Amino acid sequence: MKHKMLVFVAILLCYSGFSQNPQQEIKEDFKPSSKNQPGQEYPQVNSQGYARFRIVAPAADSVRVSLGLGGQGGTKLEKNKEGVWMGTTAGPMDEGFHYYHVNVDGGTFNDPGAKNYYGSVRWESGIEIPAQDKEFYALKNVPHGRVQQILFPSPSTNTSRRAFVYTPPGYLEHTDKKYPVLYLQHGWGEDETAWSNQGHANLIMDNLIAEGKTAPFLIVMTYGMTNEIKWGGLKDFDIKHFQTVLVDELIPYVDQNFRTIADEEHRAMAGLSMGGMETKMITLNKPEVFSHYALLSGGTYSPKDLQNHKDLKLVFISCGSKERPEAVKNSVEELKAAGFNAISYISEGTAHEFQTWRRSLHKLAPLLFN
């Protein structure tokens, strides 16, 4: 099991995030990224998915951006006469959100033109490559839910811990209504802000609800205690600590302080990457807690894994087409043959990145609590 975990993380974390289209003439239709700081013109992206960077560092000898084609060490910038460093990725990037940072003379810094997002166990710069299907997570003129921060007591860790709770449109008005809950986990290097900030989970839900494509439910997002594990140290990861926080502390708090339908049938767990691994471990350890399981680039289930899960309503497994789609498809076919309600989803043209997981949540949500 430990060996499988090491291989699992190596596969999931070592992705490049670039499109493998052949070299093409770069169109000069660059526009500021939607993830830029207010009033900042750079970084920019064009209609083909290329990214262009501009860093003012006249005294620097070397500037490189970590984002770029896989295996090439990112994008090397060139200094002009004004002391401004500029450069464009060698090829188009995958659609969607990407983390990156800037290396100046060996030091690691964030791009002052971009907003920051927590990933890779630090606040990284972020850039958005416009996707053809971006409307499903766009900010639209529809009724919006709320994402609120909560602090819940955690005796097992001797502190109060933070979580974010999405409540759907109408939650405040319809005080006699109770809701199912999805517990949604981030990946390694990230935290409880990831699904709202990078993933736009709240906007995905708002739009689906407005279109009548999903029943409203709550989403709870908390820190999965993933980042105490250093690179290569997954063999030392013990799920019992987070399992205690989630099952014995957070879920009772949410059920007590929000209008939930507090039973297994109306409770789901999902996670991306290492959060998917946590989802698998906890759902196998605690089959009486959740009835809907979802692994987003987070491994697979086998029929043997689930042989004692009699009240299981749904198994959803997804990944990007640049990951291991055949493993996902094969797993789901085996589960179906064994009589489980299992569904696979493959995000076309993406790897181990947030566009895969945004799309996965968009496909998963309408399947929950039916």
Side-chain angles (χ1 to χ4, degrees):
M1 181 64 180
K2 291 180 179 179
H3 174 71
K4 289 182 178 178
M5 287 184 184
L6 288 170
V7 173
F8 173 78
V9 163
I11 291 171
L12 298 190
L13 297 180
C14 298
Y15 72 93
S16 54
F18 68 93
S19 174
Q20 296 181 344
N21 292 335
Q23 189 68 32
Q24 54 187 317
E25 183 177 349
I26 301 176
K27 294 182 180 180
E28 291 299 325
D29 57 355
F30 284 87
K31 297 179 180 179
S33 164
S34 62
K35 296 291 187 278
N36 283 7
Q37 300 272 7
Q40 297 298 310
E41 291 295 312
Y42 287 87
Q44 296 186 347
V45 296
N46 76 351
S47 59
Q48 299 164 300
Y50 286 81
R52 180 168 289 172
F53 304 93
R54 181 181 186 272
I55 303 294
V56 179
D61 294 319
S62 173
V63 178
R64 184 182 293 271
V65 172
S66 63
L67 192 67
L69 295 187
Q72 297 186 8
T75 300
K76 186 177 181 181
L77 309 189
E78 300 293 337
K79 184 165 67 173
N80 63 21
K81 295 179 180 179
E82 288 74 38
V84 176
W85 296 79
M86 295 191 68
T88 304
T89 55
M93 309 303 298
D94 286 352
E95 296 180 337
F97 175 86
H98 299 279
Y99 301 107
Y100 73 98
H101 54 261
V102 181
N103 185 291
V104 180
D105 291 345
T108 299
F109 305 93
N110 283 2
D111 187 336
K115 294 178 182 177
N116 297 332
Y117 300 84
Y118 197 79
S120 304
V121 201
R122 68 182 299 272
W123 288 97
E124 289 267 80
S125 301
I127 191 170
E128 186 80 21
I129 306 299
Q132 296 179 4
D133 58 348
K134 62 184 178 182
E135 284 301 305
F136 76 84
Y137 54 88
L139 177 62
K140 298 181 181 180
N141 184 21
V142 300
H144 293 291
R146 302 174 68 213
V147 177
Q148 64 183 95
Q149 175 181 288
I150 62 170
L151 297 174
F152 64 96
S154 172
S156 70
T157 59
N158 195 32
T159 187
S160 291
R161 305 186 70 86
R162 184 172 72 161
F164 289 93
V165 180
Y166 167 81
T167 52
Y171 179 85
L172 294 179
E173 293 78 12
H174 304 300
T175 56
D176 58 339
K177 184 174 181 179
K178 294 185 176 183
Y179 296 83
V181 185
L182 166 64
Y183 288 83
L184 186 61
Q185 289 307 124
H186 59 83
W188 182 87
E190 298 167 341
D191 67 6
E192 62 272 25
T193 64
W195 268 110
S196 297
N197 291 350
Q198 293 94 289
H200 302 311
N202 56 316
L203 298 181
I204 292 172
M205 285 297 297
D206 290 344
N207 293 336
L208 284 171
I209 292 170
E211 295 165 3
K213 294 182 178 179
T214 188
F217 54 84
L218 276 61
I219 301 178
V220 178
M221 300 155 281
T222 196
Y223 173 53
M225 302 171 71
T226 54
N227 302 342
E228 284 75 8
I229 302 301
K230 305 303 180 184
W231 182 270
L234 190 62
K235 66 181 186 326
D236 300 319
F237 181 71
D238 188 344
I239 193 62
K240 70 180 182 183
H241 305 295
F242 178 57
Q243 181 173 289
T244 297
V245 168
L246 178 67
V247 176
D248 299 337
E249 298 169 349
L250 178 56
I251 290 177
Y253 181 90
V254 170
D255 286 341
Q256 183 177 4
N257 290 275
F258 292 85
R259 298 194 313 276
T260 67
I261 306 175
D263 60 27
E264 173 191 1
E265 183 177 355
H266 296 92
R267 199 179 289 131
M269 186 174 182
L272 69 88
S273 191
M274 190 172 176
M277 187 189 78
E278 291 183 316
T279 296
K280 180 176 180 179
M281 288 179 169
I282 292 175
T283 53
L284 294 185
N285 290 342
K286 296 285 186 176
E288 73 281 5
V289 178
F290 305 96
S291 61
H292 300 69
Y293 309 165
L295 309 180
L296 319 181
S297 303
T300 60
Y301 291 103
S302 70
K304 184 178 180 181
D305 290 333
L306 304 176
Q307 60 185 348
N308 297 320
H309 294 236
K310 297 179 181 179
D311 296 322
L312 182 55
K313 304 294 184 182
L314 173 71
V315 178
F316 179 93
I317 306 177
S318 71
C319 72
S321 65
K322 297 181 181 181
E323 296 186 90
R324 299 176 63 236
E326 291 308 314
V328 167
K329 293 176 183 177
N330 292 340
S331 171
V332 166
E333 288 306 312
E334 291 175 2
L335 291 171
K336 285 181 177 179
F340 293 97
N341 179 26
I343 295 177
S344 65
Y345 170 70
I346 306 301
S347 170
E348 187 59 39
T350 58
H352 199 72
E353 53 203 1
F354 252 105
Q355 196 64 11
T356 297
W357 307 322
R358 290 169 175 171
R359 290 172 176 171
S360 296
L361 178 60
H362 183 247
K363 297 297 182 181
L364 169 65
L367 303 174
L368 295 175
F369 313 118
N370 291 325

